[in-house]
Amino acid sequence: NAGVTQTPKFRILKIGQSMTLQCAQDMNHNYMYWYRQDPGMGLKLIYYSVGAGITDKGEVPNGYNVSRSTTEDFPLRLELAAPSQTSVYFCASSYLSGQGAEAFFGQGTRLTVV
Amino acid sequence: AQKVTQVQTEISVVEKEDVTLDCVYETRDTTYYLFWYKQPPSGELVFLIRRNSFDEQNEISGRYSWNFQKSTSSFNFTITASQVVDSAVYFCAPRGLKTIFGAGTRLFVKA
């Protein structure tokens, strides 16, 4: 069972470039999340989704976009990369929200914008 | 508004010492879950435990124990007889539609 898979694991972008961080889960979870973790800091919620076709903003959504066309996939799009987006990005999924189900995390994508 | 505070930023102990990490969750919700996650130096996030606001009984699992006091919104995590492998960042995370994470407590266990 793969769980939550993120690709790529590492990426260096130039300012102004765009890219998509991929996230896929094979646990049939309804809820999916994107977090960013800046060096030495906690996790900040970027976007989340409660099911296919439904997404909503988290704490720090500016500069990002998401889509959820299937239950399995939840890609995160950076349109115009900026140095402030240098961070480690984690995708997570859970079966239920607010009912005690823990989140399962991917291994993270380390993004550097230069 | 919800607010989660992890009281200690960093803790350093010598192996075999007991160590307690403190988390305070301020909310108007009467029912909620709190989770603890561990992030070792390798970077992955590992789920440790969930507790709900109904249950104030201590829970013990091996060297880990948890204590929840609803009156003070304190959710504390104790490692007994710490080991070097316990060195990690520990996050307290209230669980809701928008799960928020505390800033983390970095634990150093020295041999």
Side-chain angles (χ1 to χ4, degrees):
Chain A
N1 210 353
V4 180
T5 302
Q6 290 183 237
T7 56
K9 288 186 170 51
F10 304 92
R11 184 70 185 267
I12 298 175
L13 278 182
K14 293 184 179 178
I15 295 172
Q17 286 185 323
S18 59
M19 76 163 293
T20 299
L21 281 65
Q22 301 291 344
C23 175
Q25 53 91 9
D26 61 359
M27 297 173 282
N28 201 31
H29 285 171
N30 300 97
Y31 293 82
M32 295 188 75
Y33 312 85
W34 274 105
Y35 292 90
R36 60 176 286 173
Q37 185 179 29
D38 297 334
M41 305 294 285
L43 280 75
K44 296 290 187 183
L45 182 65
I46 305 171
Y47 271 95
Y48 67 99
S49 169
V50 301
I54 306 170
T55 63
D56 205 351
K57 296 177 181 179
E59 302 170 88
V60 290
N62 291 344
Y64 307 95
N65 279 298
V66 293
S67 60
R68 184 95 182 270
S69 57
T70 67
T71 299
E72 294 77 19
D73 301 299
F74 190 40
L76 178 71
R77 179 82 177 164
L78 283 71
E79 291 294 348
L80 291 170
S84 61
Q85 293 178 305
T86 294
S87 191
V88 179
Y89 291 82
F90 287 98
C91 179
S93 72
S94 67
Y95 178 56
L96 293 171
S97 175
Q99 298 299 322
E102 73 270 24
F104 292 80
F105 285 84
Q107 292 297 305
T109 295
R110 185 174 298 274
L111 176 67
T112 303
V113 182
V114 297
Chain B
Q2 302 170 331
K3 182 179 179 183
V4 56
T5 303
Q6 293 193 243
V7 176
Q8 301 91 356
T9 303
E10 287 188 1
I11 301 176
S12 183
V13 299
V14 177
E15 203 170 22
K16 298 184 182 176
E17 284 186 21
D18 297 347
V19 56
T20 296
L21 285 62
D22 300 304
C23 174
V24 177
Y25 178 46
E26 299 171 44
T27 180
R28 292 182 179 177
D29 294 340
T30 56
T31 60
Y32 50 87
Y33 283 83
L34 273 165
F35 292 73
W36 279 91
Y37 289 87
K38 174 183 179 181
Q39 188 175 41
S42 51
E44 73 270 24
L45 283 148
V46 179
F47 164 71
L48 292 177
I49 192 171
R50 75 173 69 83
R51 297 301 303 275
N52 68 56
S53 55
F54 292 104
D55 187 358
E56 294 192 73
Q57 288 186 336
N58 289 352
E59 181 169 332
I60 298 174
S61 174
R63 295 186 299 108
Y64 299 160
S65 63
W66 290 268
N67 173 258
F68 177 50
Q69 295 178 331
K70 193 170 184 177
S71 60
T72 57
S73 301
S74 297
F75 184 47
N76 307 322
F77 169 41
T78 297
I79 302 174
T80 302
S82 60
Q83 300 175 0
V84 172
V85 294
D86 295 327
S87 296
V89 181
Y90 292 83
F91 292 101
C92 170
R95 191 80 171 95
L97 187 58
K98 296 183 182 183
T99 298
I100 58 174
F101 278 72
T105 297
R106 186 175 297 274
L107 174 63
F108 297 96
V109 181
K110 296 177 285 189

